[in-house]
Amino acid sequence: MQMGFRFFATAASEVACISNPQQTGIIGICHRNNGFNKNWITLMTPIRGRANSSFYAAGGPVFVQIGGEGEASPIWMVEGFWINLAKEFDALCIQVEHRYYGKSHPTDDLTVKNLQYLSSEQALADLAWFRSKMAETFDAQHTKWIFFGGSYSGSLAAWMRLKYPHLVDGAVASSAPLLAEINFPTYLGVVQNSIAQVSNSCNSDISEAVAQIDLALTTKGGQKKLTEKFKLCSPLNVSTVDDVTNLYSILAGNFEGIVQYNRDNRAFEGSTTANITIDTLCDIMNDESIGDELDRYAAVNSLLMASYDQECLDYEYRKMIGDLQNSSWASEASEGGRQWTYQTCTEFGFFQSSDSDDQDRKSVV
């Protein structure tokens, strides 16, 4: 067996029907009948995977890292907590990219018609197929297989153990939402609780900033003030309700994203916000020398804009929807936004709201 880093991509092909796909070396776009026996039809696609056997010793387990709603980065094959565990337990490490994300393109584009093959159920069947093929490739049919994932891919790890217990011996499901929920207020609840662990006053400062936005929206002068403070790409027009709610959502998202990925060591992956933590944001929100709470809220926004190299904040709802409607693989939306929106609309919900009774920021929608 070759040691070290390897890359796998099953051969691409196009067929009408395959009766025994386990032996073909290709993976079908549509798994049916909860298995692999028949009726894999229409387009066939490569499924991307990588393996690192540098730490592997005979009898060691196989660790599988499941890709989520984005490209599977090769840096994870040599960095991260699971690699530390692989070194300790002599494990073979395999990474599998999720269909429709990264460079795993099963269709010509991302039209709704083609997105019908994007689902967690199909992704689980991909993983089961891939696990069986890699067991043959590495002669690892009789060792333990442990699946890893975080957030959505953590859900997939837990569901793999549940649905394919004969293939999966254990799952590490980090921060994994296991139950589909249309209205998902607990997300912001976790954000609020996480902030409270860092600073006693940070949440109240944010709430006051949001209250000041509420007030500013009621006057022309206030609207101009918000346009300038938050560096909006176009003057704020309160007559378009979707634009206003989208602005609230973006500003809340500045905190949501940092909380979700707080101190997760993403610097090695090239993240431009890896050095920005909850402490960073709360230090700004607590710094009275910057100005009042609204000034500090705007300072947080400026920090995040700078990290993404944004000159202005595009808050218009129609533009956001227009971007998501682009079905080309060459579009920015194809990096994951369009696909994940489709999955949340057809499977999960997970729509983050401030509907919880404990939620301080009721204006954030």
Side-chain angles (χ1 to χ4, degrees), residues 26-280:
I26 59 180
I27 186 164
I29 191 172
C30 183
H31 304 275
R32 295 186 175 180
N33 299 331
N34 298 318
F36 316 106
N37 293 328
K38 60 182 179 179
N39 292 335
W40 285 29
I41 61 174
T42 64
L43 296 176
M44 311 305 290
T45 179
I47 180 171
R48 294 208 313 162
R50 301 180 179 92
N52 183 353
S53 55
S54 299
F55 321 116
Y56 186 53
V62 179
F63 290 173
V64 179
Q65 184 189 74
I66 304 173
E69 63 274 30
E71 183 171 1
S73 172
I75 196 66
W76 283 103
M77 298 307 299
V78 292
E79 296 280 357
F81 177 65
W82 80 309
I83 294 297
N84 295 334
L85 292 178
K87 294 175 181 178
E88 180 179 353
F89 294 102
D90 302 324
L92 168 66
C93 294
I94 296 176
Q95 180 189 62
V96 186
E97 189 169 73
H98 195 297
R99 58 165 57 201
Y100 285 88
Y101 292 101
K103 293 182 175 61
S104 296
H105 299 175
T107 54
D108 292 335
D109 56 32
L110 292 167
T111 58
V112 174
K113 179 181 178 181
N114 283 334
L115 285 173
Q116 67 180 299
Y117 304 110
L118 171 58
S119 70
S120 59
E121 185 175 8
Q122 297 291 341
L124 292 175
D126 286 347
L127 291 166
W129 180 91
F130 199 83
R131 180 259 189 248
S132 298
K133 296 301 293 185
M134 291 303 99
E136 297 174 6
T137 299
F138 289 99
D139 191 23
Q141 294 94 334
H142 305 295
T143 191
K144 300 294 184 183
W145 285 73
I146 311 298
F147 281 64
F148 289 75
S151 191
Y152 167 53
S153 65
S155 303
L156 292 175
W159 295 335
M160 274 297 295
R161 170 62 179 153
L162 180 67
K163 187 168 185 178
Y164 299 101
H166 61 296
L167 298 177
V168 180
D169 297 285
V172 179
S174 301
S175 301
L178 298 180
L179 302 177
E181 189 175 2
I182 294 177
N183 187 5
F184 196 35
T186 51
Y187 181 91
L188 272 175
V190 171
V191 171
Q192 182 171 302
N193 292 337
S194 299
I195 290 173
Q197 292 180 24
V198 170
S199 167
N200 292 326
S201 60
C202 194
N203 275 315
S204 59
D205 288 340
I206 294 170
S207 295
E208 176 57 29
V210 174
Q212 290 185 37
I213 292 176
D214 294 342
L215 182 61
L217 287 171
T218 63
T219 67
K220 292 291 185 181
Q223 295 160 28
K224 182 179 179 181
K225 178 181 177 181
L226 294 177
T227 298
E228 295 171 351
K229 280 189 178 294
F230 291 101
K231 304 177 182 178
L232 305 186
C233 294
S234 59
L236 184 58
N237 181 4
V238 296
S239 64
T240 306
V241 176
D242 286 341
D243 288 351
V244 176
T245 57
N246 198 43
L247 175 60
Y248 274 121
S249 179
I250 292 170
L251 298 179
N254 289 335
F255 290 84
E256 293 170 5
I258 296 303
V259 169
Q260 180 164 335
Y261 299 106
N262 189 57
R263 301 183 188 278
D264 75 341
N265 196 29
R266 286 183 301 147
F268 66 80
E269 198 178 19
S271 170
T272 58
T273 59
N275 64 331
I276 301 175
T277 66
I278 301 174
D279 299 80
T280 306

Side-chain angles (χ1 to χ4, degrees), residues 305-324:
M305 286 178 60
S307 71
Y308 296 124
D309 199 25
Q310 293 177 317
E311 294 184 359
C312 65
L313 187 66
D314 195 348
Y315 70 97
E316 292 187 30
Y317 181 79
R318 63 177 180 84
K319 290 184 179 179
M320 180 191 72
I321 296 300
D323 290 341
L324 288 174

